[in-house]
Amino acid sequence: MSAELSTCALCPRLCRPACPVTTGTGREAAVPTFLAGMAIEFRRGRIEASLAEAALSLCTDCGACEEHCHIHHPLPELLRQARQEVAVDRLAEPLRPIDGDARRVAIEADDRPLGDVVEKLSGERVARWKTADRLGIGAIDSPAIWSERKPALRNWAEGRELVVADGGVAKALESAGVAFTWLSELADSDGCTGSCAAGGERPLACCGGGGPLADHHPEDAARLARAFARRWDGARLVDARCREHLRNSGIDASDLLDQLVEAL
Ligand code: SF4
Ligand code: SF4
């Protein structure tokens, strides 16, 4: 493991330009190479867990470094594993019951009626699954919590076709190996801006709303949102998590779901 991290720690910072946190905040402490080095230092007992956690959480788990890397080294996954060694356990809200017995389920992560939108688009009955914490994605780096959450998500999803509009929900399902469909795949999303969770175009792909950065370093996440806004043409977003983060950072943002709710 550390041997794999050392590939990055010894790399001449080749993916630095691709990392949205490094470029958006100007923080050299966020360079992917440096994060890999901090994980190694922690494993060697040279730095405390709190310092390692502060460094390793300077990441949105966007995947841009791996994509940019000449050998596609899986640094995001290596950082995820390292964070599990240093993270303080975070709680996840118990999963709520699914409202309705339809096969297709809309996962509603905010107060907008995604279920109504999916019903209109598909012409089918749709069940609703509400979550106030994006299916607990904030606890993904807490092994004790997440090792229970993953099979629970698989059980709840079994035999159902899930529709999502939020990158945090998508990441939680991906981690559990649960298939899902983005709202943008059901609706006409031509001209919309994607996200790191929804496979957006880089380097516009990360607004800073992804964890763990937004949870641990809100000021840096807001700086990243402003950097995103300078490149962004104002097109509607695909990902509701980006919309929320940009709005919380003072940027007027709307998403595909806003547009479809208006048309209900
Ligand atoms: S992901 Fe690739 S480019 Fe980035 S630090 Fe690691 S080896 Fe270098
Ligand atoms: S996953 Fe994204 S934010 Fe994290 S180190 Fe790689 S490029 Fe930077």
Side-chain angles (χ1 to χ4, degrees):
M1 161 75 67
S2 286
E4 293 181 37
L5 276 168
S6 68
T7 303
C8 295
L10 297 171
C11 171
R13 304 148 67 98
L14 293 176
C15 60
R16 183 193 183 285
C19 176
V21 183
T22 306
T23 56
T25 65
R27 284 185 64 163
E28 290 305 302
V31 174
T33 306
F34 183 77
L35 303 187
M38 290 296 276
I40 291 173
E41 289 298 287
F42 171 73
R43 286 184 179 155
R44 289 178 178 164
R46 292 182 183 153
I47 60 172
E48 292 179 2
S50 59
L51 187 57
E53 186 180 23
L56 295 173
S57 54
L58 283 167
C59 177
T60 62
D61 197 22
C62 71
C65 47
E66 180 175 353
E67 189 176 297
H68 183 87
C69 175
H70 56 304
I71 54 172
H72 298 296
H73 201 57
L75 180 57
E77 171 61 22
L78 296 172
L79 293 178
R80 235 174 277 142
Q81 291 171 5
R83 279 195 298 271
Q84 292 188 351
E85 297 164 29
V86 299
V88 174
D89 270 354
R90 300 170 78 94
L91 296 177
E93 174 193 272
L95 294 174
R96 300 183 186 189
I98 294 175
D99 181 11
D101 58 3
R103 180 184 57 86
R104 185 169 275 176
V105 179
I107 303 183
E108 297 186 335
D110 56 39
D111 57 3
R112 293 175 294 168
L114 175 62
D116 294 359
V117 166
V118 176
E119 240 165 25
K120 183 174 177 187
L121 287 172
S122 65
E124 290 177 20
R125 273 189 323 116
V126 170
R128 277 79 167 162
W129 194 10
K130 289 192 181 296
T131 172
D133 67 351
R134 303 189 162 99
L135 302 178
I137 186 65
I140 194 169
D141 293 328
S142 304
I145 307 287
W146 206 248
S147 62
E148 291 183 9
R149 178 52 53 104
K150 285 200 286 189
L153 288 173
R154 287 195 285 271
N155 284 343
W156 283 68
E158 196 172 347
R160 296 185 164 103
E161 185 185 319
L162 305 179
V163 181
V164 310
D166 181 282
V169 170
K171 286 258 180 185
L173 295 174
E174 264 173 18
S175 165
V178 174
F180 59 88
T181 303
W182 273 93
L183 173 66
S184 53
E185 297 173 59
L186 297 179
D188 177 10
S189 61
D190 281 358
C192 286
T193 298
S195 72
C196 53
E201 292 274 315
R202 300 186 194 286
L204 194 59
C206 185
C207 66
L213 181 77
D215 296 333
H216 292 261
H217 304 278
E219 287 181 13
D220 284 314
R223 199 167 288 130
L224 201 51
R226 292 192 289 276
F228 176 93
R230 285 195 290 277
R231 298 189 301 270
W232 179 42
D233 64 3
R236 287 186 190 274
L237 304 159
V238 158
D239 187 333
R241 181 171 61 168
C242 304
R243 168 191 179 268
E244 181 182 297
H245 177 61
L246 291 171
R247 286 187 172 200
N248 289 343
S249 306
I251 295 153
D252 183 21
S254 62
D255 65 1
L256 179 63
L257 183 53
D258 284 324
Q259 178 183 340
L260 296 171
V261 168
E262 278 170 27
L264 278 176

